[in-house]
Amino acid sequence: MSTASPDKPKPAISRGEVYRQARIWHGYLSAIAFLALMFFAVTGILLNHPGWPEVTQPAPVETRLTLSAADLAAVKAAAEPGVVLVKIASGQTDLAGAFKEGEAVGDDLFVRMQGVRGSSDLRANLQTGEVEVLVERNHPVAIFNGLHRGEQAGAAWRFLIDAFGVVLIVLSLIGYVLFLSLRFRLKTALALTAASLIVMVGVFLAAVN
């Protein structure tokens, strides 16, 4: 007399449901990452070809300011005089960039500002209160390239770059899982992955020599 074998327990989530959810999330993440992907793709091409397009940088703008007695006293008394000078000067003229460094040399205070919009150099005489300001603004193409690099952008933009980087990694992994789910294309997918890896490693080795 034969005994019936016990039924195998069904998985909590079927493979079909996993692939269905993957397709859904791949669609959502594609919509979220579309503009970021296009932006970094275009600016990546521009960075790789600095001459595209041919642009003329705006001419530097020089400005002279005179600090009031109260402002000059505030700069002298501050623990970070460069930061205070930038705050005061920004209320009198349009500056580009964010505070990077400041240094006092004798009676002069030098301040450097940098950002994706451009840079500003300030030189203040701590005796007379006279301030020389030189502002160099970037062309829009240079601004976009600066946003791509992110090193001179604000904390919020750098966080956004990290967030979109994570989204694109997850998007790529989900897309690869979906491609591998098509069994009749598994060999093709693996062959393309191997070929891509070989090309990238070969170009990398040639570039670092």
Side-chain angles (χ1 to χ4, degrees):
M1 181 178 180
S2 61
T3 58
S5 60
D7 295 336
K8 293 182 179 180
K10 294 183 178 180
I13 302 178
S14 65
R15 182 179 299 179
E17 178 63 17
V18 170
Y19 290 148
R20 190 180 76 85
Q21 290 295 327
R23 285 191 292 271
I24 292 174
W25 282 103
H26 191 269
Y28 287 152
L29 293 177
S30 296
I32 293 172
F34 172 74
L35 291 179
L37 186 60
M38 293 296 294
F39 174 82
F40 287 105
V42 172
T43 53
I45 293 173
L46 292 177
L47 281 170
N48 201 37
H49 301 276
W52 294 1
E54 294 184 4
V55 297
T56 302
Q57 287 290 104
V61 177
E62 296 185 15
T63 307
R64 290 182 178 270
L65 310 173
T66 301
L67 300 178
S68 66
D71 288 340
L72 182 57
V75 171
K76 289 181 178 181
E80 292 287 345
V83 176
V84 177
L85 176 62
V86 166
K87 183 177 180 180
I88 295 172
S90 63
Q92 302 183 37
T93 188
D94 190 17
L95 302 176
F99 177 82
K100 182 180 181 182
E101 58 186 0
E103 181 182 10
V105 180
D107 292 334
D108 291 326
L109 174 62
F110 297 90
V111 174
R112 175 69 173 171
M113 302 173 64
Q114 280 189 331
V116 294
R117 291 175 57 233
S119 62
S120 301
D121 291 287
L122 292 80
R123 177 184 177 182
N125 187 296
L126 299 180
Q127 294 298 322
T128 64
E130 293 183 356
V131 183
E132 298 175 0
V133 182
L134 177 65
V135 178
E136 297 179 282
R137 300 193 179 280
N138 288 331
H139 187 276
V141 173
I143 293 176
F144 290 142
N145 289 342
L147 290 173
H148 181 105
R149 287 188 290 263
E151 54 193 9
Q152 294 181 356
W157 180 260
R158 292 197 300 272
F159 174 80
L160 193 64
I161 292 177
D162 291 339
F164 276 124
V166 172
V167 170
L168 291 175
I169 290 172
V170 175
L171 180 65
S172 299
L173 292 175
I174 292 176
Y176 201 73
V177 168
L178 288 175
F179 195 75
L180 294 180
S181 69
L182 304 175
R183 296 183 179 180
F184 63 94
R185 294 183 179 176
L186 178 59
K187 292 183 178 179
T188 302
L190 294 177
L192 290 173
T193 301
S196 175
L197 179 61
I198 292 171
V199 170
M200 290 186 65
V201 170
V203 173
F204 172 79
L205 293 175
V208 298
N209 286 338

